[in-house]
Amino acid sequence: MAQVEEVQGLYGPFQFPELLLQRIWAEQGFDRSQLRTESGEAVKLIRPGQWNRQGGPDFKQAEVMVGRKRLNGDIELHLHEKDWQAHQHNRDPAFDDVILHVVLFPSARKTTAGSDGRRIPVLTLLPHLWHDLEEYAADAAVSAIAQRPADRLAQAWLELDEAATRARIVSEAHRRWEGKVYYARQRITKLGWTSACHHTALEILGYRFNRAPMLMIATSWPLAAWQSGDLDMDAVWASQMERWQLAGVRPANHPRKRLAAYARWVQQGRDWPARLEDIAQTWPELPGGLTPQSEVAAIRRELDLKGHWLHVMSTLGVQGAVAQPRADNLWGDGLLPLLAAANPAAQPAFFVWWFGSWPGDQAANLARAARMAGIADGRRNPLAWGHVQGLIGQQLADENPAGRGT
């Protein structure tokens, strides 16, 4: 039976399944640089193992260094250390080759007892995660939503009249916005402003497939290393050679090209996080804010959105280094939430800009669903970032009413 933990999130409880923990391990979606067992021994992952979808340990043929010992065998993952005994792995010879017990939440036990009496090291993953648990859960849910047919995504909206549709899209988009600002603030608190900006930029440039290795690069090579201008890009690329995901990645989105783009960006705007922080203090506000009656085309004209977008991107050094539509994703998923986190008093103003911005590099079925549902009409309300985010928010809310913020 699949294990699920109910965790309190920003808007209420949400479910974090053991399967998601396995996915995080498979994608190496955590900071590997400071891993230690509950006994205090350093852990170095040489091979994280092959994901086993059948019976037995979760990952096979792994290789790790624990302290000075090189261990070869299997890795088992659980939400809690006590789940090992609850699942009776201590009586199952299929688990005799487990060399590392990875758990999500901290354990009172330093080791786990194997069937032959040996002590298996315990590694707690929670302190090493890149994101809040709710953000991991939301990302996994959004990935699943992006695979759904457009007509299914549009179904709930077709039951609403125009006024109700416009009211709900703003409401659901605002929840998504609040979540993104919250996560940006969490990252700033954990890493500091400069590192938070640096990590955010590389993660978004990693697209969906290569976010984890990009974050490892952000940790191994902080912004100062990129500012020096003599960074060995071959070494940066090679550091994640076993973790790059290239299948299904379009040539233009190849991670090596994205690394080169970030190098150009930093050389054009060396102190770009400081410039971004300054921009936050002088952000223009739209009189009257955003209402369900606001039309995207009018918002863009009144804000001179394109002109201001170009000004900000040029000031930061992004212009000419990161092409659209990825630059629009950088704007909506990264820069605007960071700006709002840096200047909470202006958060309502930033939301208007965020909602009216261009939709970026989104799954095609999300754009089709927005048009099918009458959310975007191509004239007064051309497809916008807020439309896509509101549609995603509606799907998440309808699936998990108790935790609408995910």
Side-chain angles (χ1 to χ4, degrees):
M1 180 178 177
Q3 296 296 303
V4 176
E5 181 81 5
E6 187 168 271
V7 182
Q8 184 65 30
L10 181 60
Y11 293 98
F14 66 96
Q15 293 187 331
F16 193 96
E18 188 175 286
L19 184 63
L20 179 53
L21 178 62
Q22 293 178 18
R23 175 178 168 181
I24 292 171
W25 182 265
E27 296 177 353
Q28 297 292 276
F30 53 91
D31 184 356
R32 298 156 46 111
S33 62
Q34 303 290 328
L35 300 178
R36 288 192 174 275
T37 67
E38 287 295 311
S39 299
E41 293 182 290
V43 176
K44 180 181 179 181
L45 302 180
I46 302 169
R47 288 197 313 273
Q50 299 175 359
W51 198 352
N52 175 30
R53 306 301 185 95
Q54 308 301 319
D58 296 319
F59 289 84
K60 307 284 285 184
Q61 300 177 0
E63 184 176 359
V64 301
M65 289 287 294
V66 177
R68 297 183 178 180
K69 296 179 181 177
R70 184 181 293 266
L71 305 176
N72 292 274
D74 304 330
I75 294 177
E76 178 67 5
L77 281 77
H78 288 117
L79 298 177
H80 298 275
E81 192 280 335
K82 63 183 180 181
D83 294 338
W84 174 277
Q85 190 164 356
H87 296 173
Q88 299 189 353
H89 295 335
N90 57 319
R91 300 181 181 180
D92 189 344
F95 292 82
D96 285 352
D97 291 332
V98 171
I99 56 173
L100 186 66
H101 187 198
V102 178
V103 300
L104 178 60
F105 298 104
S107 166
R109 294 191 179 95
K110 303 294 184 184
T111 58
T112 293
S115 61
D116 55 0
R118 64 192 178 88
R119 309 307 300 184
I120 303 170
V122 174
L123 169 64
T124 301
L125 211 55
L126 185 63
H128 307 286
L129 296 181
W130 296 119
H131 304 298
D132 184 278
L133 291 180
E134 189 173 19
E135 192 170 0
Y136 280 104
D139 285 347
V142 170
S143 294
I145 288 169
Q147 306 302 316
R148 295 173 187 167
D151 56 351
R152 180 181 170 190
L153 293 173
Q155 185 176 359
W157 298 91
L158 296 173
E159 300 172 1
L160 305 176
D161 60 26
E162 181 181 356
T165 294
R166 297 181 71 171
R168 186 168 188 188
I169 201 68
V170 171
S171 174
E172 297 296 353
H174 193 262
R175 288 182 182 276
R176 289 282 291 166
W177 164 250
E178 287 185 325
K180 290 178 183 293
V181 175
Y182 171 78
Y183 299 139
R185 192 173 294 120
Q186 293 289 97
R187 177 171 273 180
I188 293 167
T189 299
K190 182 177 181 180
L191 300 176
W193 174 255
T194 298
S195 290
C197 292
H198 180 59
H199 277 67
T200 298
L202 280 169
E203 180 179 18
I204 292 172
L205 291 179
Y207 291 72
R208 180 167 60 90
F209 296 104
N210 288 298
R211 294 171 59 186
M214 283 291 203
L215 284 168
M216 279 302 302
I217 285 172
T219 297
S220 301
W221 285 274
L223 182 62
W226 297 77
Q227 291 170 328
S228 69
D230 57 3
L231 192 64
D232 185 344
M233 295 304 296
D234 289 335
V236 174
W237 166 256
S239 72
Q240 304 299 312
M241 191 60 73
E242 295 183 358
R243 287 177 284 280
W244 293 121
Q245 299 293 321
L246 303 180
V249 175
R250 291 177 293 175
N253 299 339
H254 194 287
R256 190 154 196 165
K257 290 187 176 181
R258 298 305 104 206
L259 289 170
Y262 188 59
R264 290 194 301 273
W265 169 0
V266 173
Q267 290 309 301
Q268 293 174 182
R270 294 172 57 82
D271 57 347
W272 75 265
R275 298 183 189 186
L276 185 66
E277 193 169 25
D278 289 341
I279 287 170
Q281 308 308 317
T282 58
W283 197 266
E285 185 171 353
L286 174 68
L290 182 70
T291 71
Q293 290 73 42
S294 300
E295 296 178 347
V296 170
I299 290 171
R300 290 176 178 174
R301 287 194 303 271
E302 188 168 358
L303 293 176
D304 184 20
L305 184 59
K306 187 63 175 180
H308 197 70
W309 186 97
L310 287 169
H311 168 71
V312 171
M313 293 306 211
S314 297
T315 301
L316 299 182
V318 180
Q319 186 67 11
V322 181
Q324 290 177 301
R326 181 53 35 170
D328 290 324
N329 288 68
L330 178 66
W331 175 267
D333 267 341
L335 300 181
L336 287 179
L338 284 167
L339 283 164
N343 186 1
Q347 185 169 328
F350 287 120
F351 172 65
V352 181
W353 290 78
W354 182 85
F355 186 95
S357 294
W358 294 272
D361 187 14
Q362 305 290 346
N365 59 336
L366 289 169
R368 285 197 298 270
R371 295 186 177 100
M372 289 174 62
I375 294 169
D377 61 18
R379 299 182 301 278
R380 293 180 304 171
N381 282 296
L383 187 65
W385 184 267
H387 294 152
V388 175
Q389 295 299 318
L391 196 154
I392 292 172
Q394 168 265 320
Q395 290 281 308
L396 295 172
D398 288 354
E399 291 176 5
N400 185 24
R404 294 174 60 86
T406 61

